[in-house]
Amino acid sequence: MSTPTTSFADPASTQSLERAAAALREHNFTVEILDDAAAARARVQELIPEGASVFTGASETLRLSGIEEDINASGRYDAIRARGQAMDRATQLTEIWRLLASPDVIVGSVHAVTETGSLVIASASGSQLPGYAGGSLHAIWVVGAQKVVPDLSTALRRVEDHCLPLESDRAMKAYGQPSAINRLLILNAELEPGRGTVLLLREAIGF
């Protein structure tokens, strides 16, 4: 197992954030640049209507910011993750996957954002990818400043060299097995303006 790359943990400059935001907006993403995780936490609550069905993709950013707890434990929303975990995977697996694939809102993060306007998400299970790709009516991604990179090739290197070792370490502690890049989603544009919202932070958070 390789070790994480220190350079990929450093927050991007203001200029890089602004270049990424401009490119994403050209590709029909809604983008807001926020100061920190606390601002993102408040903004997510403003963006999601009370009572909406919401699925949170597995994300250290959501956990560390408190957004995961706000959605899954507050009682304000129909928390899809909790519903899915309460179902029997042996007999209801198809229903679970359908439930996860098309919530009103999906909230998560990404592993890289390029200055050319793409989002890159890797996954071992793929549970969050249908909602990100278009199954959800509204997707919200909260993204730390260290995830902004110049281009797609650098984004893929960040996933492999930086994110995978960190996620594997987390998975070993949580599940007793390492993670893997079994599925990779690259979003180059949104067909429907306003469906995808990217909250870019000026601080680093998550992997």
Side-chain angles (χ1 to χ4, degrees):
M1 177 67 65
S2 62
T3 56
T5 304
T6 305
S7 61
F8 285 134
D10 297 333
S13 67
T14 297
Q15 292 79 10
S16 293
L17 287 173
E18 290 175 348
R19 282 194 292 269
L24 288 166
R25 289 181 185 121
E26 288 179 0
H27 298 169
N28 281 338
F29 293 96
T30 298
V31 185
E32 300 178 27
I33 298 178
L34 304 175
D35 284 339
D36 51 31
R41 185 177 185 179
R43 186 66 180 122
V44 167
Q45 291 186 37
E46 293 172 350
L47 289 170
I48 304 176
E50 188 169 346
S53 62
V54 187
F55 178 46
T56 52
S59 164
E60 281 295 283
T61 299
L62 296 195
R63 185 185 68 82
L64 294 169
S65 64
I67 294 171
E68 180 181 77
E69 184 177 4
D70 288 344
I71 292 171
N72 294 318
S74 68
R76 288 193 297 267
Y77 314 107
D78 175 8
I80 297 299
R81 176 171 289 278
R83 284 177 57 188
Q85 289 173 342
M87 297 168 72
D88 185 348
R89 293 186 65 85
T91 61
Q92 297 178 288
L93 188 59
T94 300
E95 296 163 69
I96 292 171
W97 277 95
R98 287 174 178 163
L99 186 67
L100 303 185
S102 57
D104 295 332
V105 183
I106 186 167
V107 184
S109 190
V110 303
H111 294 99
V113 177
T114 73
E115 292 181 21
T116 53
S118 296
L119 305 178
V120 178
I121 306 107
S123 178
S125 70
S127 62
Q128 77 277 45
L129 300 187
Y132 286 168
S136 174
L137 294 175
H138 188 194
I140 301 170
W141 296 281
V142 181
V143 184
Q146 82 280 16
K147 298 182 180 183
V148 176
V149 297
D151 51 37
L152 191 55
S153 62
T154 310
L156 296 176
R157 188 158 51 87
R158 185 180 196 278
V159 170
E160 184 81 31
D161 296 346
H162 181 77
C163 301
L164 181 59
L166 290 169
E167 176 57 20
S168 281
D169 183 62
R170 187 199 70 81
M172 282 297 296
K173 293 172 183 174
Y175 315 121
Q177 62 183 35
S179 188
I181 304 171
N182 292 330
R183 291 162 174 81
L184 188 69
L185 177 66
I186 299 173
L187 299 175
N188 290 321
E190 279 287 356
L191 294 179
E192 297 293 332
R195 192 201 81 93
T197 297
V198 182
L199 302 180
L200 277 178
L201 309 188
R202 298 183 189 277
E203 70 173 8
I205 184 172
F207 295 161

